[in-house]
Structures are given as structure tokens and as C-alpha cells.
Amino acid sequence: MRTGAIVLAAGASRRFGSPKQLAELDGRPLLAHVLDAVTAVPALDPVILVLGAHHEPIRERVDPGRAQVALCLGWEEGMAASLRAGLAAATAEHDLDAVLVVLGDTPRLETDVVREVLAAAHAAPPAVPVRALYDGRPGHPVILPRQLFAAVGELTGDEGARELLDGAPVVLVAAGGPGGLDVDTPESLEALR
């Protein structure tokens, strides 16, 4: 099963008050932690980093490694535009069976969880999405099979993968640790510290 990855980091960080992708945790930008976790899995190819708001300072401070940068010009629309841009970039030159989606503001995401979710997707029926489950709460990463690619194109506004998964059969992978926690405010970052 050929699987690419999309790291969503195009948002304006309005609730955070500054580009949260660049906020530091353990001396490194939040986004760098997420990229490390995803790019450490060679089976994910390509890895697409979707940027939008604040793309210039992010590019100056965050090395994408082997990830390819896709600029989402319509980032103000919300997460749907970012997801569409990431999927378009991932499938432009690659015939993918699925994409793994993560948020760029989940700095405690662990490479082992990425691998476990990917392994579960390989074992799942072809059209069934897979997602991590943290303390009973669904989180990221999420794997969207090819059968949902067209539905991604129909998302609008701040709709993301959650809207595609509601009510659908989904394989859930129990994950430990704080990896599913995203950083939306300075207080949530402080809680991770």
C-alpha cells in the first residue's frame, strides 16, 4: 500500500496570538518536532508540508528535511483548503493508495505511533480509514484511503478529516502519551512543557 503524508501547518494561529508553528518546545519550533516524527518513517512517500499564513518566517526557521513544501494560497478558508492543497500535492506525481494526515501543532507526536497507525492501515480493509486514539479520544495521525480522496475535494471552510470519518467505519489504534494533544493557545503549550 503506497502511502504519502500530509502535515497541515497553514493556519494563522489566531488563538495562539503568533505563529505557533514557530513557538519553541524543548528549544525547537513545534513544527520541527512533527516533521521529525513523520519523516522518520521511510514508507511515507511523499511527505508534504502545507504552509500558508506565515510561510516565509516558517521556511526561514524550519528545515522541512525530505518533506516537500506546498503553499496553500487559500489558507484563510480554513483546514479544508489546506487538506485539499496537501492532497493535490501528494497525488500530483504519485499514485497513492492512502495519505496519512497530521497536524503541525502536535509536537509530542511519536514516530512509533505514526508507524503503528500505518501498520494498522496495511492490515485494514482497503477502504477503511485509520486513526489514533488517545485516552478514548480520536486524534492524529489519520489515514485516509484513496476512496475518500474525492470527498476531501468537497470539504469547505474549517472542515477537516473529522467530517469524513463521522459515522463511517474507522479502525482505531490505541496510542499512549500526549502525542494527540494539539497546541492552540500559549496555555496549551505551557501544559505540554
Side-chain angles (χ1 to χ4, degrees), residues 50 72 74-86 155-157 159:
V50 183
C72 177
W75 62 267
E76 290 182 88
E77 176 191 334
M79 190 177 297
S82 299
L83 191 53
R84 290 193 314 264
L155 293 173
T156 59
E159 293 179 311

Side-chain angles (χ1 to χ4, degrees), residues 1 120-130 145 147 171:
M1 182 173 90
H122 283 277
V128 176
V130 178
Q147 291 81 352
V171 172

Side-chain angles (χ1 to χ4, degrees), residues 5-57:
I6 302 170
V7 178
L8 299 175
S13 308
R14 287 184 185 93
R15 286 182 283 173
F16 196 82
S18 63
K20 65 182 172 181
Q21 302 92 327
L22 297 176
E24 291 203 357
L25 180 65
D26 302 332
R28 301 176 60 228
L30 296 182
L31 182 56
H33 293 274
V34 178
L35 285 169
D36 286 351
V38 175
T39 58
V41 182
L44 294 171
D45 184 42
V47 176
I48 305 296
L49 169 60
V50 183
L51 298 178
H54 316 296
H55 66 92
E56 291 176 353

Side-chain angles (χ1 to χ4, degrees), residues 23-166:
E24 291 203 357
L25 180 65
D26 302 332
R28 301 176 60 228
L30 296 182
L31 182 56
H33 293 274
V34 178
L35 285 169
D36 286 351
V38 175
T39 58
V41 182
L44 294 171
D45 184 42
V47 176
I48 305 296
L49 169 60
V50 183
L51 298 178
H54 316 296
H55 66 92
E56 291 176 353
I58 292 170
R59 283 183 142 169
E60 289 172 8
R61 291 205 32 224
V62 177
D63 178 3
R66 69 179 183 91
Q68 304 165 32
V69 175
L71 188 58
C72 177
L73 298 177
W75 62 267
E76 290 182 88
E77 176 191 334
M79 190 177 297
S82 299
L83 191 53
R84 290 193 314 264
L87 184 61
T91 58
E93 297 177 16
H94 302 275
D95 183 26
L96 299 178
D97 298 304
V99 291
L100 177 135
V101 180
V102 298
L103 303 178
D105 62 356
T106 53
R108 294 295 192 211
L109 177 68
E110 296 175 359
T111 300
D112 286 345
V113 172
V114 174
R115 286 188 182 111
E116 290 167 12
V117 169
L118 184 59
H122 283 277
V128 176
V130 178
R131 82 179 309 174
L133 188 69
Y134 296 90
D135 294 326
R137 292 187 357 241
H140 286 81
V142 173
I143 293 192
L144 302 176
R146 179 198 310 252
Q147 291 81 352
L148 290 178
F149 289 1
V152 168
E154 297 172 10
L155 293 173
T156 59
D158 216 23
E159 293 179 311
R162 182 180 323 145
E163 283 69 24
L164 298 178
L165 304 180
D166 281 349

